[in-house]
Amino acid sequence: MSSLQFKGRDIVSIEDFSREEIDYILKSSQAMEQFAAKGSDMLKGKILVNLFFEPSTRTRLSFEAAMLKLGGSTIGFAEAEIASVRKGENLADTIRTVENYADIIALRHPLEGAAKLAAEFSKVPVLNAGSGAEEHPTQAFMDLYTLQKEKGKIDGLKIALVGDLRYGRTVHSLAYALSLYNIELYLISPETLRMRHEVIRAIKNKISIIEDTNLENIIPQIDVLYVTRIQKERFPDLAEYAKVKGAYRIDLKTLQKAKKDMIILHPLPRIDEIAAEVDSTPQARYFQQVWNGIVVRMALLALVLGAVK
Ligand code: CP
């Protein structure tokens, strides 16, 4: 039994979690692997409401699958168009309505700060399933779990985050979390898509950071290549997107220079930043990462709803 408190907590930002708490979540996720395979009724009678105001495949469906595998139920919507926001309802009123139907809410919203606002209004815990370009904390937990599972450790790794570090929310949450570990972080992006200043400010005194625009130079040294999509939908000016589109492409030639045991992760969806020919290499672990999303979200639901301690 742990003295750490998860029951009733919101998961808005990964910055709200200590290393001890994150390590405990990773351990709880490992314990969930058996229930992901055989099922459980530990959340019987509990209802997850998914409020997705932005498109999603993995996050929404894995939250649903996680809840179902633990014996609970899910309701919700997958696009804002069919909800009463279309009639002008604000987020606060939506939350004060939905909390009557829910034991827990997962919210994806295009606006930064939306999850924090929802948590302030909600009587039930709110899980941030992606808040604009700001954060995606549950993705970071699954990314860390994947590192632990695939590499056997997180401390000591040389990890490169590649692509859109400005608008990509997963890399913001992941960078905050990785700053609690003893790692070297390489931030590889076009000049205009460098990691946000507030993230750099928060992590720079905790870990070694190397910022560069050139991926080829660093490939031979790194243990983990975390590739991201250029987030076209978040560019205020599509002419700017056109300048950086296709900036990085991982293919078999890229891998020739990499360590044999380097692994490639990607939060997905992917567009063209990883060539399909890479999928069948031992380095490609992004579809294993998808599976890990279920067990991690099972653990988060069970901890926050108090079914496990
Ligand atoms: N990784 C991720 O958030 O994927 P979706 O947008 O499909 O949920």
Side-chain angles (χ1 to χ4, degrees):
M1 208 205 303
S2 156
S3 61
L4 302 174
Q5 284 299 325
F6 294 101
K7 187 175 177 186
R9 271 179 81 168
D10 302 304
I11 302 181
V12 169
S13 169
I14 200 92
E15 283 198 285
D16 298 333
F17 291 83
S18 67
R19 166 142 183 191
E20 188 186 10
E21 288 172 332
I22 293 175
D23 284 341
Y24 193 79
I25 288 167
L26 303 190
K27 213 169 105 189
S28 303
S29 303
Q30 219 256 315
M32 282 293 158
E33 295 267 3
Q34 58 172 317
F35 300 119
K38 69 177 188 200
S40 159
D41 61 0
M42 70 172 79
L43 292 183
K44 189 161 188 275
K46 300 290 185 191
I47 297 177
L48 164 71
V49 175
N50 268 329
L51 302 180
F52 277 63
F53 293 87
E54 271 194 338
S56 169
T57 296
R58 282 144 289 271
T59 311
R60 186 173 65 81
L61 294 179
S62 66
F63 264 125
E64 286 193 22
M67 196 61 176
L68 296 174
K69 280 174 182 286
L70 291 176
S73 312
T74 74
I75 55 175
F77 54 78
E79 53 173 326
E81 283 302 299
I82 60 162
S84 283
V85 285
R86 190 78 179 79
K87 303 176 202 163
E89 185 167 60
N90 64 37
L91 181 60
D93 286 359
T94 303
I95 295 296
R96 284 183 292 203
T97 301
V98 164
E99 67 185 3
N100 292 286
Y101 319 138
D103 295 288
I104 191 163
I105 295 170
L107 173 72
R108 169 166 289 190
H109 200 282
L111 292 182
E112 299 188 10
K116 187 166 184 291
L117 181 104
E120 280 165 13
F121 278 96
S122 180
K123 283 190 272 202
V124 301
V126 171
L127 309 177
N128 181 0
S131 48
E134 180 187 41
E135 275 220 50
H136 195 346
T138 67
Q139 174 76 42
F141 287 124
M142 69 188 260
D143 295 339
L144 295 172
Y145 182 65
T146 305
L147 292 177
Q148 180 72 52
K149 196 166 151 183
E150 296 290 336
K151 301 298 287 181
K153 61 177 187 178
I154 300 173
D155 286 316
L157 294 176
K158 296 183 178 185
I159 301 170
L161 309 183
V162 178
D164 186 347
L165 307 187
R166 180 175 181 186
Y167 297 120
R169 55 192 168 202
T170 69
V171 285
H172 301 152
S173 294
L174 184 55
Y176 286 131
L178 287 173
S179 73
L180 302 175
Y181 293 82
N182 180 22
I183 60 128
E184 275 180 35
L185 191 62
Y186 294 76
L187 301 174
I188 310 299
S189 70
E191 198 57 47
T192 54
L193 298 179
R194 285 173 68 173
M195 181 60 90
R196 287 159 71 132
H197 289 307
E198 68 260 33
V199 179
I200 297 285
R201 248 195 323 273
I203 68 175
K204 71 178 180 201
N205 294 327
K206 299 183 188 167
I207 50 170
S208 155
I209 302 172
I210 298 99
E211 286 190 274
D212 205 331
T213 55
N214 188 307
L215 177 61
E216 273 190 29
N217 291 348
I218 61 112
I219 277 278
Q221 313 161 48
I222 57 170
D223 303 301
V224 180
L225 188 61
Y226 187 99
V227 185
T228 63
R229 173 178 70 89
I230 308 283
Q231 309 270 307
K232 181 181 180 184
E233 68 277 22
R234 304 212 189 277
F235 280 69
D237 178 357
L238 280 184
E240 289 303 311
Y241 169 72
K243 288 182 197 162
V244 290
K245 181 177 180 287
Y248 303 102
R249 182 172 165 83
I250 312 303
D251 55 19
L252 292 182
K253 197 160 157 260
T254 320
L255 296 189
Q256 282 171 6
K257 297 188 185 140
K259 286 183 185 175
K260 287 279 165 285
D261 63 350
M262 184 194 81
I263 61 167
I264 304 170
L265 304 183
H266 192 310
L268 303 177
R270 124 182 90 171
I271 307 301
D272 53 7
E273 56 280 0
I274 302 178
E277 64 189 13
V278 175
D279 296 357
S280 54
T281 68
Q283 283 94 347
R285 303 296 164 91
Y286 25 93
F287 290 110
Q288 286 89 332
Q289 202 177 348
V290 172
W291 167 259
N292 295 335
I294 292 191
V295 291
V296 168
R297 291 187 172 112
M298 287 171 74
L300 292 172
L301 290 168
L303 285 165
V304 171
L305 289 171
V308 295
K309 291 210 166 68

